[in-house]
Amino acid sequence: MIELHAISKTYTRPSGDTVHALSDLSLRIDRGEFVAIVGASGSGKSTLMNLLGLLDRPTEGRYLFDGRDVASLDVANQARFRNRYVGFIFQVFHLLPRTSALENVELPLLYSDRASTTGLGRRALEAVGLADRLYHTPSELSGGQQQRVAIARALVNEPDLLLADEPTGNLDAQSASEVMDIFDALNRSGRTVVLVTHDLAVAARARRVVRLKGGRVVADARPTEPKDALEEVQ
Amino acid sequence: MRFDEAGRRLGSSLRPLLVHKVRTILALSGVAVGVAAVVVSSAIGRGAQQEMVRTIERMGTNLLIVKPLPVKRLVARQAVSGLATTLRIEDYEAIAGLALVAAAAPGVEGNARVKVGTIAMMTTVRGTTPVFPSVRRFQIAAGRFFDMEDVRRSRRVAVLGARVTDALFEGQQPVGQEIRIRGVPFDIIGVLQAKGTTTDGADEDNQILVPIRTALRRIFNTTWLTTVYVSVREPARMNDAETDIQDLLRARHQRGLDSRTDDFAVQNTAKIRSVQQEMTESLSLFAAGLAAIALLVGGIGILALMLLSVRERTSEIGLRMAVGAQPRDILAQFLVEASALALAGWTSGIVLGGAAALAVALGTTWTVGVPVTAVLASFGMAVIIGLGFGALPARSAAQIPPIQALLRT
Ligand SMILES: Nc1ncnc2c1ncn2[C@@H]1O[C@H](COP(=O)(O)OP(=O)(O)O)[C@@H](O)[C@H]1O
Ligand SMILES: [Mg+2]
C-alpha cells in the first residue's frame, strides 16, 4: 500500500544550518500491517509520519500510495487524500475546546464528499466505547477518553490508514493499554495502523517494529510473534 | 455540499464569535456606529429634503419679494421704522405691469394690538389686495377673502390667520364677528387655512389681512409699502424678472444704477432655496463622510478581531487541514466569520439608527423616514467590509502549511 523510495527531508533552520531529519529512507508497508516506529528523540519519527499523512512534503524521493505518486499532488488534492484515506491521532489529542465529543468526531465529515454522513460520528464513538459521552466537551473527559474521541475522529471517515504519533505519550498506563486495545481491534478488523512510540510495552503490541536512527531505518523486524520483533530490533 | 452540512459548517465557523462575546461586540460596534450614522444622516437628509419641498409648496417656485431697505441718511422725510419710504403703491402698479410678472400683491404691515370681546393679543396686520392668497399660496378655510370693491371703498373687513383664529375664538366661528385693530372695529369676513412655521421661523399663520387702502389710511396712516410680493410667470425666468424689477425701481426712484445706492432689495426665493439646497447637500455629504470614516474604523475593528482569531486558532486550522480541510474551506470559514460580524454590526446599526431617527422625528416637526436606499447601501457596505477586511486574515490562515499550523500553539 505504501512505498517510500529514497525519501529525504531536510529542514533549514532560521539560523541557516540544515537538518537532515530523514535521509535516503525507503520503506514499504502493506495493507493490514500494524507497524510501530521506534527510535530516539530526534531520529525522524514524526517527520516520517507527517510525510506518510501528507501533512508535509519530502525534499527528495517518491511516495507511492496504492501505486499513485501522492507527494506531488496539489494542496487541494492532498487535503482530499488526507480526508479520504488517512486518520491522524496525535499525542496532544488536538480536540476543539468547548465542542462536544460528537462534533469533534464529525469534523472530518465537514470536508468529506460522501453522499451521506448520518450516524457515522455516533458509530465511531461507539466503536471506541464512548457511546455515553456524545455531548461531553473535552474538558469534561479524562485524558484517555479524550484520546479515544480523537481515535473516533480518525476513524469516522473509514480511512485505510491510521497514523498515530505517540498516541499514549500523555496517558497513564491504564488508559494507554485501553487505547492500544482499540488499535489492536482496529488492525484485526483490517485497518493498516502505523504508530510512533518510545514505550516498549506499546511497541510490543505491534506486528512489526521499525527502528529509526538519524533519519534512517536501522532495524526492521516482522516475525510472527510481536514480542520477538521487539527483541530483534533491540 | 448538502444543506445540513452547510449548516454545520456555518455553526462551526460562528461558534468562536459566541465564545468571545465581549470582543465580538467591541469589533462589531464600529460597523454598528457607521451604519447607524448612515441611517440617521440619510433620514435627516431626507427630512431636510421634504422640509424644503414643503417650503417650496408654501412659497411657490416663482416668488420674488421686494422690500424697502433700512436707510439711515434719509433725512428728507421722517422714517417711521428706519426703512426707506420710497416704495409706493405706484411702484407696485408698475411692477404688476411688467411682462414677466404674472401677479403682484402690495403689502404694508406692522404689529398691532387686536381685541375680540375681552381677549386681546399682539399680531401682524397686513394690508394687501385680493391677489395676495394666490401669490402667497394661502387657502381660505371659511368665509371669503376681500375683493377689489372692498379695497376701493377702504372697507373695514378682515381675514384672520389660523393662529389668530385659534387664539381669539377657541373653536368658535369667527366669520361675521367683530375684531378691533388698534381700536378700530373690523368685520371678520374670512379665515385662512394654517400653513405652519417657515424654515426661517416666521409664523405665517399669526397675521390678519385687511384691504391695502384700509391699512394705509385707518391703521398705519402712511403712504409707503413695506413689501411687494411678485409672482413670476415662468420659474425659469426668476433672475430676469428680478433684474427687470431692479431696473424699473432704480429708474422710478432715480437713484442711479449702482446696487449700493438702492433703497430697496429683491429677495429671490429661488436663490434662497438653492442656497438651502447646497447647505442640505453639503450637510449630507459631511454626514456621508463621517459614516464612511466610522465604517472604516468598523472595518479595522473586524480586521483586528479576525487577525486575533486566526492567530489564536492556528492549531485548530492545522487540525482542520489534517482531517481534510482545503485552503478554500479555511478561507470560507474565516470569511463567514468576518461577514457574520459585519452583518451583526449592520443589524445593530440599523436598529440603533432607526431608533435615533425616530427620536429626531418625535423631537421635531420634521417627517423623518429611513430611505430604503440607505438600508440597502449600508448592507452592501457591511458585506464589503466583512469580506474586505476579513479577506486578509482568512487568506493568511488558508496559506499556512498544515504541519506548521498544527505545531503552533
Ligand atoms: N520544522 C522543523 N524545522 C527544523 N528542524 C526540524 C523541524 N522539524 C523537525 N526538525 C528536526 O528534525 C529532526 C527530526 O525531528 P522529528 O521527526 O520530530 O523527530 P522525532 O519525532 O523522532 O523526535 C530533529 O533533529 C528535529 O530537530
Ligand atoms: Mg516526534
Side-chain angles (χ1 to χ4, degrees):
Chain A
M1 180 168 70
I2 290 170
E3 287 173 70
L4 297 179
H5 293 292
I7 291 282
S8 293
K9 178 70 189 182
T10 309
Y11 293 108
T12 309
R13 289 247 167 78
S15 58
D17 42 303
T18 55
V19 181
H20 299 284
L22 295 176
S23 27
D24 197 27
L25 180 144
S26 296
L27 186 67
R28 187 192 152 95
I29 297 173
D30 290 325
R31 198 168 283 276
E33 278 199 273
F34 187 172
V35 184
I37 314 264
V38 297
S41 174
S43 58
K45 306 182 299 292
S46 294
T47 305
L48 175 62
M49 295 297 267
N50 295 337
L51 292 182
L52 286 177
L54 293 191
L55 285 177
D56 212 348
R57 289 168 194 263
T59 317
E60 267 174 81
R62 295 209 312 149
Y63 172 14
L64 300 184
F65 189 95
D66 285 342
R68 212 156 48 115
D69 184 352
V70 288
S72 57
L73 291 174
D74 66 23
V75 175
N77 278 311
Q78 287 196 333
R80 236 174 248 135
F81 172 88
R82 290 194 294 267
N83 183 255
R84 194 172 308 165
Y85 300 112
V86 183
F88 281 103
I89 295 112
F90 307 94
Q91 180 175 357
V92 292
F93 319 143
H94 276 306
L95 298 176
L96 299 189
R98 293 175 288 262
T99 304
S100 73
L102 186 59
E103 282 176 278
N104 263 296
V105 168
E106 285 174 338
L107 199 64
L109 300 177
L110 287 186
Y111 308 107
S112 141
D113 46 15
R114 283 167 173 274
S116 169
T117 57
T118 10
L120 291 182
R122 196 178 288 262
R123 228 183 300 151
L125 277 167
E126 280 165 10
V128 297
L130 287 177
D132 55 345
R133 296 285 190 276
L134 297 183
Y135 302 106
H136 287 56
T137 61
S139 59
E140 295 162 355
L141 297 170
S142 73
Q145 287 171 328
Q146 289 185 51
Q147 191 60 301
R148 276 146 69 193
V149 172
I151 294 172
R153 181 179 62 197
L155 286 177
V156 73
N157 233 346
E158 297 171 329
D160 296 336
L161 177 64
L162 284 178
L163 297 174
D165 192 348
E166 310 222 21
T168 57
N170 281 1
L171 303 182
D172 58 73
Q174 169 68 23
S175 304
S177 153
E178 282 169 20
V179 162
M180 287 312 294
D181 288 342
I182 294 172
F183 282 120
D184 235 8
L186 287 171
N187 174 245
R188 250 191 286 278
S189 70
R191 239 167 279 269
T192 312
V193 178
V194 179
L195 66 81
V196 165
T197 184
H198 50 233
D199 180 345
L200 298 182
V202 168
R205 300 182 64 161
R207 307 264 156 78
R208 173 183 172 192
V209 180
V210 173
R211 176 171 289 273
L212 294 189
K213 188 176 180 186
R216 295 168 200 271
V217 178
V218 291
D220 186 348
R222 73 173 104 190
T224 42
E225 272 301 300
K227 290 225 163 49
D228 302 341
L230 185 64
E231 279 159 23
E232 208 170 305
V233 298
Q234 282 171 341
Chain B
M1 203 193 301
R2 291 174 319 281
F3 186 74
D4 61 324
E5 191 172 305
R8 268 193 288 166
R9 279 205 195 192
L10 194 68
S12 104
S13 291
L14 299 188
R15 188 192 309 272
L17 294 179
L18 299 178
V19 170
H20 302 286
K21 286 189 191 66
V22 172
R23 81 184 195 204
T24 299
I25 288 168
L26 279 178
L28 63 78
S29 60
V31 173
V33 168
V35 169
V38 170
V39 168
V40 171
S41 64
S42 61
I44 289 177
R46 161 169 291 201
Q49 200 71 38
Q50 284 171 348
E51 185 65 18
M52 252 170 50
V53 171
R54 261 171 55 192
T55 310
I56 288 169
E57 279 165 3
R58 206 159 42 207
M59 305 227 301
T61 52
N62 58 347
L63 181 68
L64 294 176
I65 299 173
V66 184
K67 290 196 162 174
L69 281 175
V71 181
K72 294 191 187 73
R73 286 175 286 115
L74 206 72
V75 284
R77 200 177 174 117
Q78 193 64 38
V80 179
S81 59
L83 290 175
T85 58
T86 45
L87 194 63
R88 302 304 174 109
I89 280 282
E90 294 77 21
D91 291 329
Y92 142 71
E93 283 164 353
I95 291 170
L98 285 172
L100 289 176
V101 172
V108 56
E109 59 244 320
N111 289 331
R113 187 179 152 82
V114 301
K115 198 170 170 188
V116 171
T118 54
I119 313 169
M121 71 181 286
M122 287 299 290
T123 184
T124 302
V125 174
R126 176 174 286 124
T128 186
T129 59
V131 294
F132 182 83
S134 82
V135 172
R136 294 293 288 108
R137 306 205 168 200
F138 275 100
Q139 303 280 328
I140 303 295
R144 67 176 180 92
F145 205 77
F146 45 80
D147 55 24
M148 278 316 291
E149 191 63 14
D150 296 319
V151 174
R152 245 181 318 240
R153 291 179 181 267
S154 302
R155 281 189 182 135
R156 291 181 318 222
V157 291
V159 175
L160 271 51
R163 190 183 289 271
V164 178
T165 308
D166 288 347
L168 295 178
F169 290 94
E170 291 172 335
Q172 282 176 302
Q173 180 51 254
V175 176
Q177 308 221 39
E178 189 187 85
I179 185 168
R180 282 177 177 269
I181 302 173
R182 289 192 178 167
V184 183
F186 281 72
D187 289 331
I188 300 170
I189 58 168
V191 173
L192 296 177
Q193 264 178 24
K195 265 174 122 182
T197 336
T198 57
T199 29
D200 54 19
D203 185 351
E204 291 189 296
D205 295 327
N206 187 6
Q207 66 173 345
I208 295 176
L209 300 175
V210 298
I212 178 80
R213 282 157 67 106
T214 319
L216 288 171
R217 290 182 192 170
R218 303 222 179 220
I219 301 173
F220 300 116
N221 194 24
T222 53
T223 53
W224 50 281
L225 302 176
T226 52
T227 328
V228 179
Y229 300 99
V230 180
S231 180
V232 176
R233 269 185 214 288
E234 294 168 59
R237 303 202 58 188
M238 291 285 279
N239 293 346
D240 296 339
E242 183 183 348
T243 312
D244 286 357
I245 291 169
Q246 283 165 341
D247 293 345
L248 178 78
L249 291 183
R250 279 171 196 152
R252 289 181 60 85
H253 295 179
Q254 298 175 341
R255 293 177 60 88
L257 295 179
D258 191 339
S259 64
R260 280 174 298 183
T261 61
D262 277 352
D263 54 355
F264 67 92
V266 182
Q267 283 178 13
N268 186 334
T269 53
K271 280 185 186 164
I272 295 171
R273 260 198 320 281
S274 78
V275 169
Q276 276 184 354
Q277 181 104 39
E278 269 170 36
M279 268 171 54
T280 315
E281 275 166 11
S282 57
L283 199 74
S284 40
L285 212 64
F286 177 69
L290 272 184
I293 291 170
L295 280 172
L296 192 73
V297 170
I300 290 169
I302 288 181
L303 180 71
L305 181 103
M306 292 308 298
L307 285 172
L308 197 65
S309 177
V310 167
R311 182 183 301 186
E312 280 178 352
R313 290 190 290 148
T314 309
S315 92
E316 175 192 324
I317 294 166
L319 175 80
R320 285 175 184 268
M321 286 175 157
V323 301
Q326 297 175 26
R328 60 151 204 236
D329 296 321
I330 301 298
L331 188 75
Q333 177 188 340
F334 284 96
L335 284 183
V336 163
E337 189 178 324
S339 306
L341 259 179
L343 287 187
W346 175 79
T347 309
S348 8
I350 290 290
V351 171
L352 214 70
L358 195 69
V360 170
L362 294 177
T364 66
T365 59
W366 287 18
T367 45
V368 176
V370 176
V372 180
T373 48
V375 175
L376 294 182
S378 60
F379 180 82
M381 280 188 285
V383 171
I384 288 169
I385 280 175
L387 295 180
F389 286 88
L392 186 78
R395 263 173 54 96
S396 69
Q399 283 169 353
I400 313 173
I403 187 63
Q404 283 184 28
L406 258 182
L407 294 180
R408 224 177 282 171
T409 43

